[in-house]
Amino acid sequence: MKIIEDIMAMREQRRKWQLNGDVIAFVPTMGNLHKGHLKLVEHAQRHADVVVVSIFVNPLQFGPDEDLDAYPRTLKNDFDQLEAMGVDVVFTPLASDIYSRGLEQQTFVEVPGLSYMICGASRPGHFRGVATIVCKLFNMVQPNKAYFGEKDFQQLQVIKAMVTDLSMNLEIHGVPTERESDGLAMSSRNGYLTTEQRQIAPQLFACISEMADHIIQGRRDFSLLISQVKAELVDAGFKPDYIEVRAANSLLQPGHEDYDLVILAAAFLGKTRLIDNVQIRL
Ligand code: PAF
């Protein structure tokens, strides 16, 4: 496994693969890898000749109140896991190279609409930061395919929209959420939970799964269902941020003609903000 820090070296490696006719798959990450990331790598390996995983903690997607410095950095352990999986290249660019003209001067990519709703409303500027870094990484790695977790459902929709809008020449694939045995979606943020919070955490998924069952059984009184779930979450010890039922493709409020729905949820346990979602096909 090669570790490449330099952007030019990454381009050179990419050029060699291309000459060889290799299909290149890419898994962008911010490191602190868990089984969810490794699932993305597995999917990438199954559908490509070579796999690049990037590790870059992107300052542009953190809000002023979100602690960029506290984000867990576990490079050595990340490298070991990726090496064991037989990943070809780990790309670890430096912030000073990625944002060489400074964050203030950085050209950005913004997907309107999708970026401002739901999580975007709670975290202004977040999806602009995500779209910008993902666009830049795509330009550096120039993959044929890229893999993202469905846990970050809105992020996946933003990236798909960006790729369509900017006519980017690659396929975007979503990979189902990897869960702990008690249902909790795997996330780097789970590491912030206290033992007590960790016991409560699976109730987020349990509550929205139950809500999904009601919708599958025909209930359409979404507002009532949402307030019931919020009340359950408060009782369990969460501070709900949002619970939404949306059309899965557009993330707009669903109409009667929408059969592909998604329940999107975010809730705080102490200072840790957990997100999750359940897709529903009626
Ligand atoms: O999902 C993530 O880990 C990040 O948002 C991503 C896509 C790597 C961009 O920094």
Side-chain angles (χ1 to χ4, degrees):
M1 183 178 83
K2 263 196 210 167
I3 297 169
I4 300 182
E5 192 178 86
D6 183 62
I7 296 170
M8 292 313 286
M10 184 64 242
R11 289 193 198 284
E12 182 51 25
Q13 176 63 69
R14 199 266 169 206
R15 200 184 61 81
K16 285 185 189 150
W17 282 332
Q18 192 187 19
L19 285 176
N20 204 32
D22 290 330
V23 173
I24 304 162
F26 180 41
V27 180
T29 80
M30 299 211 296
N32 193 228
L33 303 182
H34 50 69
K35 270 202 238 151
H37 294 109
L38 303 186
K39 257 278 141 38
L40 301 182
V41 172
E42 253 177 58
H43 277 255
Q45 285 177 322
R46 223 175 289 146
H47 297 103
D49 301 306
V50 287
V51 173
V52 181
V53 176
S54 65
I55 299 180
F56 178 66
V57 182
N58 175 33
L60 207 59
Q61 70 188 74
F62 285 77
D65 304 332
E66 298 170 359
D67 200 351
L68 169 67
D69 295 331
Y71 196 85
R73 286 152 173 96
T74 53
L75 264 191
K76 167 83 179 71
N77 189 38
D78 295 346
F79 289 159
D80 289 349
Q81 296 190 71
L82 295 174
E83 172 111 67
M85 289 198 74
V87 163
D88 299 273
V89 164
V90 186
F91 181 40
T92 56
L94 300 173
S96 52
D97 289 337
I98 290 266
Y99 297 118
S100 56
R101 297 194 315 118
L103 286 182
E104 297 300 313
Q105 303 298 318
Q106 175 62 42
T107 301
F108 58 79
V109 179
E110 183 154 289
V111 178
L114 274 177
S115 297
Y116 311 140
M117 56 174 77
I118 323 172
C119 246
S122 303
R123 303 179 71 190
H126 171 68
F127 287 119
R128 169 201 287 186
V130 170
T132 302
I133 190 59
V134 171
C135 175
K136 283 167 72 67
L137 291 167
F138 283 174
N139 284 335
M140 293 170 201
V141 177
Q142 294 183 42
N144 304 103
K145 305 168 179 211
Y147 291 80
F148 294 87
E150 286 179 354
K151 198 203 101 201
D152 297 302
F153 194 85
Q154 191 174 356
Q155 166 171 285
L156 178 61
Q157 305 311 315
V158 167
I159 290 164
K160 283 182 176 168
M162 171 185 78
V163 166
T164 303
D165 289 355
L166 299 182
S167 311
M168 292 176 163
N169 188 19
L170 81 162
E171 294 168 15
I172 301 298
H173 296 278
V175 175
T177 304
E178 200 57 17
R179 297 186 179 280
E180 304 288 354
S181 53
D182 57 11
L184 177 64
M186 289 199 187
S187 163
S188 300
R189 293 184 180 203
N190 296 349
Y192 296 139
L193 300 173
T194 62
T195 316
E196 194 195 336
Q197 289 167 344
R198 174 63 190 81
Q199 278 172 358
I200 300 170
Q203 294 197 45
L204 181 60
F205 181 56
C207 285
I208 59 174
S209 300
E210 198 187 321
M211 181 174 168
D213 289 341
H214 288 304
I215 295 174
I216 290 164
Q217 283 154 23
R219 277 185 67 176
R220 296 297 271 191
D221 50 347
F222 298 148
S223 314
L224 183 59
L225 283 171
I226 288 170
S227 29
Q228 283 167 350
V229 167
K230 281 187 178 167
E232 282 170 32
L233 289 173
V234 170
D235 283 349
F238 288 90
K239 192 166 156 282
D241 181 358
Y242 62 76
I243 308 287
E244 296 280 348
V245 184
R246 296 292 174 111
N249 293 330
S250 62
L251 298 190
L252 296 173
Q253 300 289 349
H256 287 292
E257 68 291 355
D258 285 308
Y259 296 106
D260 279 330
L261 305 181
V262 58
I263 301 174
L264 298 157
F268 287 90
L269 267 180
K271 285 193 174 144
T272 307
R273 185 170 174 278
L274 300 178
I275 63 170
D276 207 340
N277 65 78
V278 176
Q279 294 179 62
I280 304 167
R281 179 155 287 174
L282 293 176

